[in-house]
Amino acid sequence: MAIITLTTDFGTDDPYVAAMKGVILSINPDANIVDICHTIKPQSIAQAAYILSTTYHYFPKDAIHIVVVDPGVGTERQAVLLITPHGFFLGPDNGVLSDVAEEALPELETIALTNPRFWLSPVSNTFHGRDIFAPVAAHLSLGAPPREFGDLIPTIATLPIPGPNMGEDGVLIGRVIHIDRFGNLITDIKQADLPRGRLFVEACGHIIDDLSSSYEEGEELLAIIGSSERLEVSVQNGSAARFLRAKVGDEVKVGVNKSSLKGGLV
Amino acid sequence: MAIITLTTDFGTDDPYVAAMKGVILSINPDANIVDICHTIKPQSIAQAAYILSTTYHYFPKDAIHIVVVDPGVGTERQAVLLITPHGFFLGPDNGVLSDVAEEALPELETIALTNPRFWLSPVSNTFHGRDIFAPVAAHLSLGAPPREFGDLIPTIATLPIPGPNMGEDGVLIGRVIHIDRFGNLITDIKQADLPRGRLFVEACGHIIDDLSSSYEEGEELLAIIGSSERLEVSVQNGSAARFLRAKVGDEVKVGVNKSSLKGGLV
Amino acid sequence: MAIITLTTDFGTDDPYVAAMKGVILSINPDANIVDICHTIKPQSIAQAAYILSTTYHYFPKDAIHIVVVDPGVGTERQAVLLITPHGFFLGPDNGVLSDVAEEALPELETIALTNPRFWLSPVSNTFHGRDIFAPVAAHLSLGAPPREFGDLIPTIATLPIPGPNMGEDGVLIGRVIHIDRFGNLITDIKQADLPRGRLFVEACGHIIDDLSSSYEEGEELLAIIGSSERLEVSVQNGSAARFLRAKVGDEVKVGVNKSSLKGGLV
C-alpha cells in the first residue's frame, strides 16, 4: 500500500487533520496514512524540519511525506514537490524542506505545484493542506506522473541549518534544538562533530565528565549519543530539562577532558 | 478497504479507543480506521457535532462514521444508524447526529440498533462504543444489510443548530462556536449569510474594517472566510483568542461598512 | 493484514513513534499499525501493564503487540517475545508483560531476542523500540519463525500484580489504579472479588450506598462495575477525581450494606 505521512502544526483537537485524511482516502482509499507529528508549535518551521529530518530515513523510499507548517498560506509562497532518493516530499516553499533538499542533492528534483487539475475546487486561501497537498499526494500515490503537477524549478527556499561552532579554546559550542518528553536535551552536535579523546560536556553551568553509553550508566546527570546520533544531555529516570531548567536554544559545550579537570557536577 | 472513522470524547490516554479498534479489527481485520478526534470535551455533544460536520464531507460516500459522546450510555436513549448520501453514521440518539440528519433529508434512513446478534456479549452499561457501535460498524463494513441491525425509525433527537440572527440595525449577530489550535475564532456565520458590500466585523469590542483574503494580508487582527466557509477572526502569526480574550459563545457582528466609518481597531 | 499495536511512553510530540512506524513499514509495507497509547507516564511500567491488560483481549489472536516502556534500555535487561493464546507480545523484560505472561500460563512461550539478524544496524543504546522491537515485529508479521529471533527462556521478570485485601471486619480494601479522562476512579477490585448482597462503597471519606447500573442512575456520586469489569467510582456528568480530590493509590473499600446503615453521602 502507498504510504503517505503527515507532519503538521494542526494539533489533534481540530478537524483539520481529519479533513486531509478524508481527501486522501476519497482519491485513494487504499492509502496507508501515517501521522508523524501534529503538535509542531504553531508556525514553527524549524521544529517541523527537525522532526521530519529525524524520521523520514526510516520510511520506505517511495513514501510520500506531506509537511504543512504554513504561515504564508494563501500568499505568493509556492507549494512544492521534492523528488529525492529518500522519498517524495510535499509542502510550502518556506524552508521547512531545506534539510531534505540539501541531503538529496545532487539527485533532487523540485516541482512547483501549479496545475489545479489535481486540487480540490474551490481552493481555500487558508487550508492548502486539505485543498492542494492532500489531493496531490493521493494522486501521486496512485501513479500520476510528477511532472503533471507543475514545472521543474531550480531552487527552493532554505533555512540556515543549525550546527555547532568551534570556540577559540578548542571547545565545540552547540545548542539545544529539541527537548523531548523525557526531558532529554537534544543538541545540534552530531557524533561526527565530536573531538577525539575522553570528553567533557558543559550544559547550563554543569560539567559532565564523560559520555555514557546508556541512560542507566554514568552519573545522575549524563551525556550520551542519542538515537538520532546527536549529543543529548539526560538525567537518569528523570528530566534534564527540569533539573537544569534548560530550554531550546541554550548552549552546550564539548571539549577534551584534561586530566587536571575534576569530574562530577560543579 | 472499508473506512471507519472515530469521533469520541475518550481522549488518548485511556484504553477506550484502542479497545474499540481491537473489536473492529477482530471482526474485519482489513478495516481502515481513521481517528477524526478523541479530545471532544467530555460529554460535549455540540462540539462533537461541529467537528463531525466539518469533516465528513471529505470522506468517501461509503465511509462509516462512529460518534461516541454518550453521557446517557446504559439508559433508555437509543443507539442509531443513519444511512445518508454522505455516508453511514453510528452513534447515540442524543442530538450528536442532528446536523448530519438534517443535511441528509429527504434521503435519510434511520435504524435503531436493537439486534444483539451484532453486539459483544455481554454488553456493558458504560461502554457501548466498544460493545455495540464498534462491532456493528465492523459488520456493516463487511456488508451486513443495515436492516438486520434493527428497525427503521421515523425520527431522531435533534439539537438546536446554531446560527446568526439579524439585529434591528441590519447587523448580523453570530457567535464563536469553536476556537482552534491557532487561536482562530470560528463563528456560526457562514459565507452565504453575509450581507453584500464592503463589510466590517466586530468582535470583543474591536472593529475589523474589511475581510482579508489570507492570514498574511490585512491588519494584525483580521477577519476571513476560513476553510469551513465560515467567518473567522484571526491574528496574523498569533492567537486571536489570546489577543481578544475571546471564548466560545462570544458575539461576533457583521455589517455593511459605511464610508463614514474609520477602519482599524477602536 | 497483519496487525501490530504500539504502547509506549514516547508521547506524540517527538519523532520516536514515527521512527518505529517507518521501520515497520519499510520491512512490511502492508502492516496495519494501531496506536494503543503513547502517553504512558514516562518510565511507568505499571501504567503500561494496566493499559495493555485492558485492551489486548479485544484484538485478534494473531496480533503483535509492542510495548516500549523501557528505563533500562541499553543495559543487561533482556528483550523478549511472548507467544500466547491471546497474541504475540514484544517488550523489555522489566515486568511490563507480567500480567500477560500470567494469563497465558501454561501455554506461554518466551523467547529472548538475541539474534541481531532481525535488528537495525547499528543498534543504538537508547532506542530499542526502533532498532529491535519494531523490526522484529515486522519480520514476525511477515511469517518469520519465532525461534529464529532467539532461544526459549523459562521465565520473565514479574511485577507484583495489585489486588484488594480482605480487612478484619469483612470489608474489602482495594486501591485506585487508574483515573480516566472523565475522572472515573478505576480500582483493582474486580467484579468477581465482590461480596454477595447489597453493597456499600467507601472512597475518600464518602459512602456510596449501593452499586448503580449506569452513569445516569443513582446519586450524583456513584459506584459502578465499569467496562473493564472493575469497580469504578464516578460522578454523573462530572469528575469523581475532582469531586473527591482522589489520586491513584487511594483506598476504596467495599462491604455488605447492613440495614442500619443510612445511605447517601456522609
Side-chain angles (χ1 to χ4, degrees):
Chain A
M1 288 200 311
I3 291 163
I4 298 177
T5 82
L6 304 179
T7 303
T8 77
D9 60 355
F10 292 156
T12 53
D13 296 346
D14 292 314
Y16 306 130
V17 172
M20 289 182 66
K21 293 182 180 178
V23 169
I24 291 169
L25 294 170
S26 290
I27 296 167
N28 182 359
D30 292 325
N32 188 354
I33 303 173
V34 180
D35 298 302
I36 289 190
C37 186
H38 296 297
T39 50
I40 302 294
K41 205 178 144 217
Q43 291 109 23
S44 177
I45 293 168
Q47 192 189 355
Y50 169 73
I51 295 286
L52 186 68
S53 72
T54 54
T55 49
Y56 73 78
H57 288 96
Y58 295 101
F59 282 85
K61 303 300 180 211
D62 58 356
I64 299 166
H65 303 278
I66 304 178
V67 190
V68 192
V69 177
D70 196 6
V73 61
T75 66
E76 295 289 308
R77 72 101 187 88
Q78 283 188 305
V80 293
L81 163 64
L82 270 57
I83 305 168
T84 84
H86 310 290
F88 300 88
F89 297 83
L90 286 158
D93 184 16
N94 61 13
V96 75
L97 296 174
S98 55
D99 281 0
V100 170
E102 189 184 57
E103 184 170 355
L105 287 172
E107 296 167 89
L108 174 69
E109 285 189 356
T110 305
I111 286 171
L113 303 179
T114 52
N115 185 348
R117 181 158 67 87
F118 297 97
W119 306 351
L120 290 207
S121 174
V123 169
S124 74
N125 268 337
T126 60
F127 194 5
H128 289 184
R130 179 192 68 192
D131 299 341
I132 296 180
F133 296 117
V136 168
H139 286 292
L140 183 61
S141 76
L142 288 173
R147 300 283 173 101
E148 294 199 9
F149 299 125
D151 292 328
L152 281 172
I153 57 173
T155 181
I156 66 163
T158 53
L159 283 180
I161 295 178
N165 302 114
M166 185 60 74
E168 292 186 7
D169 50 358
V171 169
L172 198 64
I173 305 171
R175 288 184 186 279
V176 176
I177 55 170
H178 184 72
I179 296 178
D180 74 12
R181 187 173 191 242
F182 302 95
N184 298 315
L185 312 180
I186 295 149
T187 73
D188 59 1
I189 301 173
K190 295 188 178 170
Q191 187 160 25
D193 299 325
L194 294 176
R196 297 280 177 91
R198 181 182 163 97
L199 303 176
F200 74 92
V201 173
E202 183 182 335
C204 302
H206 287 69
I207 304 281
I208 302 163
D209 194 29
D210 199 0
L211 297 195
S212 297
S213 61
S214 83
Y215 290 133
E216 296 221 330
E217 285 166 26
E219 303 293 321
E220 191 196 23
L221 180 71
L222 57 92
I224 191 167
I225 297 299
S227 58
S228 58
E229 298 184 359
R230 291 169 183 276
L231 182 71
E232 298 181 17
V233 176
S234 301
V235 162
Q236 205 177 309
N237 292 316
S239 163
R242 205 156 47 222
F243 183 74
L244 296 175
R245 302 185 183 201
K247 56 187 189 309
V248 168
D250 283 355
E251 275 188 7
V252 175
K253 297 180 183 175
V254 187
V256 177
N257 210 333
K258 306 297 192 308
S259 58
S260 61
L261 188 71
K262 290 289 177 60
L265 312 185
V266 294
Chain B
M1 288 200 311
I3 292 162
I4 299 176
T5 82
L6 303 180
T7 303
T8 77
D9 60 356
F10 293 155
T12 52
D13 297 346
D14 292 313
Y16 306 130
V17 173
M20 288 182 66
K21 293 182 180 178
V23 168
I24 291 168
L25 294 170
S26 290
I27 295 167
N28 182 359
D30 292 324
N32 189 355
I33 304 172
V34 179
D35 298 302
I36 289 190
C37 185
H38 296 296
T39 51
I40 302 295
K41 203 177 146 220
Q43 291 110 23
S44 177
I45 292 167
Q47 191 188 355
Y50 169 73
I51 295 286
L52 186 69
S53 72
T54 53
T55 49
Y56 74 79
H57 288 98
Y58 296 101
F59 282 85
K61 302 300 181 213
D62 58 355
I64 299 165
H65 304 278
I66 304 178
V67 190
V68 191
V69 175
D70 195 6
V73 62
T75 66
E76 296 289 308
R77 73 100 186 88
Q78 283 188 305
V80 293
L81 164 65
L82 270 56
I83 305 169
T84 85
H86 310 290
F88 300 89
F89 297 83
L90 288 157
D93 184 16
N94 60 13
V96 74
L97 295 174
S98 55
D99 281 0
V100 171
E102 189 184 57
E103 184 169 356
L105 288 171
E107 297 169 89
L108 175 68
E109 284 188 357
T110 306
I111 286 171
L113 304 179
T114 52
N115 186 347
R117 181 158 66 87
F118 297 96
W119 306 351
L120 290 206
S121 174
V123 169
S124 74
N125 267 336
T126 61
F127 193 5
H128 289 184
R130 179 193 68 193
D131 298 342
I132 296 179
F133 297 117
V136 167
H139 286 292
L140 184 61
S141 76
L142 288 173
R147 301 282 173 103
E148 293 200 8
F149 300 126
D151 292 329
L152 280 172
I153 57 174
T155 182
I156 66 163
T158 53
L159 283 181
I161 294 178
N165 302 113
M166 185 60 74
E168 293 186 5
D169 49 358
V171 169
L172 198 64
I173 306 171
R175 289 185 184 281
V176 176
I177 55 170
H178 184 73
I179 296 178
D180 74 10
R181 186 172 192 243
F182 302 95
N184 298 315
L185 312 181
I186 295 150
T187 73
D188 58 1
I189 301 173
K190 295 188 179 172
Q191 187 159 25
D193 299 325
L194 294 176
R196 295 280 177 93
R198 181 181 163 97
L199 303 175
F200 74 93
V201 173
E202 182 183 336
C204 302
H206 287 70
I207 303 279
I208 303 163
D209 193 29
D210 199 0
L211 298 195
S212 297
S213 60
S214 81
Y215 290 132
E216 297 221 329
E217 284 166 27
E219 302 294 321
E220 190 195 24
L221 180 71
L222 56 92
I224 191 167
I225 298 299
S227 57
S228 58
E229 298 184 0
R230 291 169 182 277
L231 182 71
E232 298 181 16
V233 176
S234 301
V235 162
Q236 205 175 309
N237 292 316
S239 164
R242 206 157 44 224
F243 182 73
L244 297 174
R245 301 185 187 202
K247 55 188 190 310
V248 169
D250 283 355
E251 275 189 7
V252 175
K253 298 180 182 174
V254 188
V256 177
N257 210 333
K258 308 294 193 308
S259 58
S260 61
L261 189 70
K262 290 288 177 60
L265 311 185
V266 293
Chain C
M1 287 199 313
I3 292 163
I4 299 175
T5 82
L6 303 180
T7 303
T8 77
D9 59 355
F10 292 156
T12 52
D13 297 345
D14 292 313
Y16 306 130
V17 172
M20 288 182 67
K21 293 183 180 177
V23 169
I24 291 168
L25 294 170
S26 290
I27 295 167
N28 182 0
D30 291 325
N32 188 354
I33 303 173
V34 179
D35 298 302
I36 289 190
C37 185
H38 296 297
T39 50
I40 302 295
K41 203 177 145 219
Q43 290 109 23
S44 177
I45 293 167
Q47 191 188 355
Y50 170 74
I51 295 286
L52 186 68
S53 71
T54 53
T55 49
Y56 73 79
H57 288 97
Y58 296 101
F59 282 86
K61 303 300 181 212
D62 58 355
I64 299 166
H65 303 279
I66 305 178
V67 190
V68 191
V69 177
D70 196 7
V73 61
T75 65
E76 295 288 310
R77 73 99 187 88
Q78 283 188 305
V80 293
L81 164 65
L82 270 56
I83 306 168
T84 84
H86 310 288
F88 300 88
F89 297 83
L90 287 158
D93 184 16
N94 62 12
V96 75
L97 296 174
S98 55
D99 281 359
V100 171
E102 189 184 56
E103 186 170 357
L105 287 172
E107 296 168 88
L108 174 69
E109 285 189 355
T110 305
I111 286 170
L113 303 179
T114 52
N115 186 349
R117 182 157 68 86
F118 297 97
W119 306 351
L120 291 206
S121 175
V123 169
S124 75
N125 269 336
T126 60
F127 193 5
H128 288 184
R130 179 192 67 193
D131 300 341
I132 296 180
F133 296 117
V136 167
H139 286 293
L140 183 60
S141 76
L142 288 173
R147 301 283 173 101
E148 292 198 11
F149 300 127
D151 293 329
L152 281 170
I153 57 174
T155 183
I156 66 164
T158 52
L159 283 181
I161 295 177
N165 302 114
M166 186 59 75
E168 291 185 7
D169 50 358
V171 169
L172 198 64
I173 306 171
R175 287 183 186 282
V176 176
I177 56 169
H178 185 72
I179 296 177
D180 74 11
R181 185 171 192 245
F182 302 94
N184 298 315
L185 312 181
I186 295 150
T187 73
D188 59 0
I189 300 173
K190 295 189 179 171
Q191 187 159 25
D193 299 325
L194 294 176
R196 296 279 177 92
R198 181 180 162 97
L199 302 176
F200 74 92
V201 173
E202 182 183 336
C204 303
H206 287 70
I207 304 278
I208 303 163
D209 194 29
D210 198 359
L211 297 195
S212 297
S213 62
S214 83
Y215 290 133
E216 297 220 329
E217 286 167 24
E219 302 293 320
E220 190 195 23
L221 180 70
L222 57 92
I224 192 168
I225 297 299
S227 59
S228 59
E229 298 184 358
R230 291 168 182 277
L231 182 72
E232 298 182 17
V233 176
S234 300
V235 162
Q236 207 176 308
N237 292 316
S239 164
R242 206 156 46 223
F243 182 73
L244 297 175
R245 302 187 183 199
K247 57 187 189 310
V248 168
D250 283 355
E251 275 189 7
V252 175
K253 296 179 183 176
V254 188
V256 177
N257 210 333
K258 306 297 192 306
S259 58
S260 61
L261 189 70
K262 291 287 178 60
L265 310 185
V266 294

